[in-house]
Amino acid sequence: MKHYTQSLKPIKICFLGYQRLTEIANEVVAKYPFDGCVIEVIDCVPEKLPELIRELATKGFDIYIAGGANAAVFSRYSQEHLLELAVRDVDYMSALKKASKIGKKIAVVWHRLAHEVNVSLLSDLCNVPADSLSYEDSAELYELMESSDYDVFIGASQVCSFAAQLGKSSVLIYAGEETVRSSLIRARHFAIELRKELTYHALNQSLIRNIPCGIIFTSVNGQISLINQIALNYLNLPSNFSQKRFLGDLFPNLSPDAFLLKDSQREESFKIIDGIRFRCTQVRVNSKGQPVGVLTILRIDNTLKNEKNILGTGQHLAKWKELVSMSECMNRAIELGKKYAMSSLPLALVGDVSLHRQLFAESIHTGGSRAHQPLIVINLPQISPADAGRHLLGSTDSNSSHVGLIEMAKQGTIILKNVQDACPAVQDILLDVLTNNQIIPIGGYDPISINVRFISIFDYPLPRSQIRPDLLSRLCTLQIDLPPLKERQEDIPILFKEAISNLRNQEFRIERFPKAVEALQLYSWPGGTSELEAVAGRFSLFLDENVKITPYTIHHMVIESIGEDNLYHELELLYPCLAERDMAAPNFQKAVEQLKYYLGDTNTSIAQKLGISRSSLWRDLKKTT
């Protein structure tokens, strides 16, 4: 019998160095054996690295090693696994001691994207005076070193190279052979563990996809974080179903809440869903002794169906849990909404366009005593003056007898949209219904009592000139002001994440990228959630095109999706000196720092935006400092 065999592929490691560091790496690779590894040492400068990364991506390296500026730039442009050359405090202290024997004025040089060095502390510990110099590109580094009066520079290979060109002394920060050798050994171990992890992940995904039953994993608060295709089919959910919904809201009898309150680790039961009986197994999932979620397994127990087909769909209405409310102002609005949900008085929701106002209105309906009664949404401008009576009140005409929208909502709720654009005939009918709590259908004589709760959605500010004052007063008997998106800083990343997840049918955790989140929060979102969802659409497109997901690329994609000009305008509002080109302003340096932080600008790009030369900007910043 023949057996399939395949030899293990060697671990591929790429070492990115520059000049002296490259020489050391080549010496180490030639001197020491690294069994099961293929190591390629590449000499490159940070400015050329973004272009080189695209070429390296085709070579199938398991892991990369780099230090200093190369490590900082690589992290911005690639999501590949990177092991940064370890530089310990003791290495800096040793370098300071060496430098003190060479010269008197010492500078420790580091790339702005790399880990900041606490030079002051190290200097005190060694009793060796030294200053700190930071740079963001080779041109600035050379200019800084050339114009300074330091006679010894401590830094990575590029710093030592420029020092030699300028006729100045330098000390390489890396300890030498031992630093490179230990980094290669650690990279090999990391790559082996990474391959194991990828194997386990592929195995788990294969099991989830192919196991012949429905699988649902929910967090301890009941949010769905994983659901396989079989479970989607069983529960009559679309393939593009957005995760992070609450399982108990969708199917109350599958809610994990009651199970978690018990002491049992596993529970078997039968559940009826859409007329089909399922054998349901719920398993508590623990990590370090604490529950982290519940695994729900569904198997069909019989095929008995009621008159409702398993492929049928039902209307889903919003509930309070579906409203994002991490911000204090939104929480206040929701608490008020829950209070008013128990009332039958007319309610007005006032807020900027596209603030999920209809979701808020639906939540009030489902959270009150009318939850099991009809909910009808009416966009009033669509009703013409000639048809106002027939649409709203109904008709008893023998040729076209029908029930009107208001009567259809009997005992339930009507959500009114765009009242300000409704014709006078519609406004008159609404006022009459609100005043008398009854209707008379067209062609009829007998009044019909109406018990309906009206919830009206208004833009901010209230369009008082376009609505009858007496109608507006009645519609606004109760009022909730919904906060604009710019005041809901904590909600913005969550809303953005939900929008991305809905578009991609998979979760994208934007909160893993703090600078991207801060860029989202910097923007004032004048278009509300509609604009946020449009930006999320552009971001999703960029995400599909960009295979390299790194903090830098995600931050850059957010900037591109919002529009760099829009974010620059926000910073101009915060720092008027940018718009006024006032480089003498006290907060000009802070403004420049914010441009670098939020937009990733360099001195060169900032100078171009301000219409000045890079040297002028550098001199002005130096004077301010």
Side-chain angles (χ1 to χ4, degrees):
M1 181 182 291
K2 292 184 177 180
H3 296 278
Y4 174 76
T5 59
Q6 182 182 23
S7 59
L8 290 175
K9 293 171 60 179
I11 301 291
K12 295 190 70 175
I13 301 174
C14 178
F15 189 100
L16 300 170
Y18 180 67
Q19 292 194 348
R20 180 56 188 147
L21 185 59
T22 302
E23 294 171 6
I24 295 174
N26 280 320
E27 291 168 5
V28 170
V29 172
K31 185 176 179 181
Y32 298 98
F34 294 92
D35 295 335
C37 290
V38 173
I39 302 171
E40 185 173 343
V41 180
I42 297 176
D43 190 82
C44 62
V45 294
E47 283 73 20
K48 300 292 184 181
L49 193 52
E51 182 179 346
L52 180 62
I53 284 172
R54 287 190 287 271
E55 178 185 335
L56 295 175
T58 63
K59 295 190 174 183
F61 289 109
D62 291 280
I63 191 168
Y64 294 79
I65 301 174
N70 274 342
V73 173
F74 187 92
S75 298
R76 296 184 74 178
Y77 287 91
S78 177
Q79 67 174 353
E80 299 293 340
H81 296 284
L82 172 70
L83 180 66
E84 190 169 349
L85 279 174
V87 182
R88 305 161 298 172
D89 286 345
V90 68
D91 295 326
Y92 279 107
M93 294 168 70
S94 175
L96 285 167
K97 289 292 187 182
K98 290 179 184 177
S100 66
K101 297 176 182 179
I102 301 173
K104 295 182 178 180
K105 295 208 68 177
I106 304 169
V108 177
V109 187
W110 51 280
H111 195 283
R112 285 199 186 102
L113 295 178
H115 301 296
E116 186 173 353
V117 184
N118 192 337
V119 177
S120 176
L121 175 61
L122 296 172
S123 178
D124 290 342
L125 290 172
C126 295
N127 196 25
V128 176
D131 294 324
S132 174
L133 278 182
S134 63
Y135 68 98
E136 60 189 29
D137 56 43
S138 297
E140 183 182 4
L141 172 61
Y142 191 88
E143 190 175 347
L144 279 170
M145 294 177 66
E146 184 182 36
S147 61
S148 72
D149 57 354
Y150 297 107
D151 49 18
V152 186
F153 296 93
I154 297 173
S157 300
Q158 192 175 34
V159 173
C160 297
S161 174
F162 284 170
Q165 294 176 37
L166 295 167
K168 299 186 178 185
S169 301
S170 65
V171 176
L172 183 65
I173 191 55
Y174 304 113
E177 277 192 10
E178 184 53 35
T179 299
V180 174
R181 181 172 175 270
S182 64
S183 295
L184 287 168
I185 293 172
R186 286 193 296 128
R188 180 178 178 275
H189 289 322
F190 182 82
I192 291 171
E193 292 302 315
L194 180 64
R195 284 191 176 181
K196 289 180 182 177
E197 184 180 329
L198 291 173
T199 301
Y200 294 146
H201 178 74
L203 176 61
N204 289 335
Q205 290 299 312
S206 177
L207 288 172
I208 290 169
R209 284 195 302 269
N210 296 298
I211 194 168
C213 55
I215 299 291
I216 308 169
F217 182 79
T218 52
S219 60
V220 288
N221 65 353
Q223 280 186 306
I224 300 171
S225 57
L226 183 148
I227 182 168
N228 69 355
Q229 187 61 47
I230 293 177
L232 290 173
N233 294 339
Y234 283 172
L235 300 178
N236 189 25
L237 295 172
S239 296
N240 62 348
F241 170 75
S242 172
Q243 297 181 14
K244 292 302 177 185
R245 301 282 285 277
F246 288 86
L247 182 59
D249 285 350
L250 297 170
F251 302 97
N253 60 344
L254 291 180
S255 174
D257 295 345
F259 169 67
L260 286 171
L261 292 174
K262 303 175 183 177
D263 293 331
S264 58
Q265 294 295 317
R266 179 188 181 96
E267 185 174 86
E268 300 276 352
S269 61
F270 291 100
K271 308 289 185 184
I272 303 295
I273 302 172
D274 277 347
I276 299 177
R277 192 165 87 153
F278 289 91
R279 187 185 185 98
C280 176
T281 304
Q282 289 183 305
V283 181
R284 185 189 300 262
V285 180
N286 295 327
S287 176
K288 297 181 179 179
Q290 296 295 321
V292 295
V294 173
L295 180 67
T296 300
I297 304 170
L298 297 174
R299 303 177 184 86
I300 293 180
D301 185 67
N302 61 32
T303 55
L304 179 63
K305 301 180 183 180
N306 62 12
E307 58 190 30
K308 183 177 180 181
N309 190 291
I310 192 170
L311 298 178
T313 57
Q315 184 183 19
H316 171 73
L317 299 178
K319 295 185 180 180
W320 292 119
K321 285 185 178 180
E322 295 186 28
L323 288 171
V324 174
S325 58
M326 295 298 292
S327 60
E328 185 179 346
C329 56
M330 190 62 180
N331 277 327
R332 286 197 300 267
I334 288 177
E335 286 305 312
L336 199 55
K338 290 179 178 179
K339 176 183 175 182
Y340 290 166
M342 307 313 297
S343 171
S344 292
L345 294 172
L347 170 65
L349 299 179
V350 183
D352 291 342
V353 177
S354 302
L355 279 176
H356 291 165
R357 297 176 299 185
Q358 185 170 326
L359 291 178
F360 200 101
E362 289 177 3
S363 298
I364 290 173
H365 170 76
T366 56
S369 58
R370 301 173 185 264
H372 300 291
Q373 303 301 328
L375 171 66
I376 293 179
V377 181
I378 306 176
N379 188 18
L380 295 175
Q382 293 180 339
I383 302 176
S384 67
D387 295 328
R390 292 184 178 277
H391 278 300
L392 296 175
L393 305 176
S395 172
T396 59
D397 191 322
S398 58
N399 294 324
S400 59
S401 177
H402 67 274
V403 177
L405 293 172
I406 294 175
E407 188 178 356
M408 286 173 63
K410 211 170 183 180
Q411 309 300 321
T413 303
I414 291 179
I415 297 175
L416 301 175
K417 298 172 66 176
N418 300 307
V419 181
Q420 70 277 5
D421 296 321
C423 65
V426 168
Q427 294 193 28
D428 291 343
I429 291 172
L430 290 175
L431 178 61
D432 187 64
V433 172
L434 285 164
T435 303
N436 301 305
N437 294 318
Q438 64 179 24
I439 62 168
I440 301 176
I442 300 298
Y445 297 98
D446 297 325
I448 300 173
S449 296
I450 294 297
N451 179 9
V452 173
R453 203 306 170 65
F454 287 92
I455 300 177
S456 306
I457 296 174
F458 291 105
D459 295 341
Y460 178 84
L462 275 171
R464 299 182 182 277
S465 62
Q466 298 167 263
I467 305 174
R468 289 185 53 154
D470 44 2
L471 173 61
L472 184 62
S473 297
R474 289 190 177 274
L475 292 176
C476 297
T477 303
L478 300 176
Q479 181 173 324
I480 298 176
D481 294 322
L482 300 180
L485 201 52
K486 64 182 178 182
E487 295 178 8
R488 299 169 57 189
Q489 292 287 299
E490 301 89 342
D491 297 340
I492 290 171
I494 304 173
L495 290 167
F496 190 79
K497 180 172 75 171
E498 286 189 353
I500 294 293
S501 300
N502 289 337
L503 289 166
R504 295 173 58 80
N505 191 28
Q506 61 183 14
E507 184 183 21
F508 181 82
R509 297 175 60 194
I510 191 69
E511 69 272 14
R512 291 184 300 151
F513 307 95
K515 288 188 72 173
V517 169
E518 289 176 346
L520 290 170
Q521 293 174 327
L522 172 67
Y523 191 47
S524 59
W525 301 102
T529 52
S530 287
E531 184 179 11
L532 183 139
E533 287 165 3
V535 168
R538 291 192 288 271
F539 179 86
S540 181
L541 184 62
F542 292 144
L543 206 56
D544 291 336
E545 296 173 349
N546 201 314
V547 295
K548 300 298 178 185
I549 298 178
T550 68
Y552 172 78
T553 55
I554 295 301
H555 182 209
H556 182 71
M557 285 191 283
V558 166
I559 292 171
E560 289 292 311
S561 301
I562 296 174
E564 186 173 344
D565 290 344
N566 290 332
L567 290 172
Y568 185 80
H569 178 64
E570 297 288 350
L571 289 171
E572 282 185 322
L573 296 176
L574 291 172
Y575 300 96
C577 57
L578 292 175
E580 297 164 2
R581 309 291 195 269
D582 183 6
M583 290 178 286
N587 62 349
F588 179 73
Q589 184 179 3
K590 179 67 173 177
V592 170
E593 291 172 358
Q594 295 296 292
L595 284 173
K596 291 179 178 179
Y597 185 79
Y598 282 108
L599 302 184
D601 277 327
T602 63
N603 285 342
T604 302
S605 60
I606 292 171
Q608 290 173 347
K609 288 175 179 177
L610 296 175
I612 58 175
S613 69
R614 185 183 174 282
S615 299
S616 298
L617 175 63
W618 185 77
R619 284 194 298 270
D620 283 322
L621 291 175
K622 190 175 180 182
K623 288 177 185 176
T624 307
T625 304

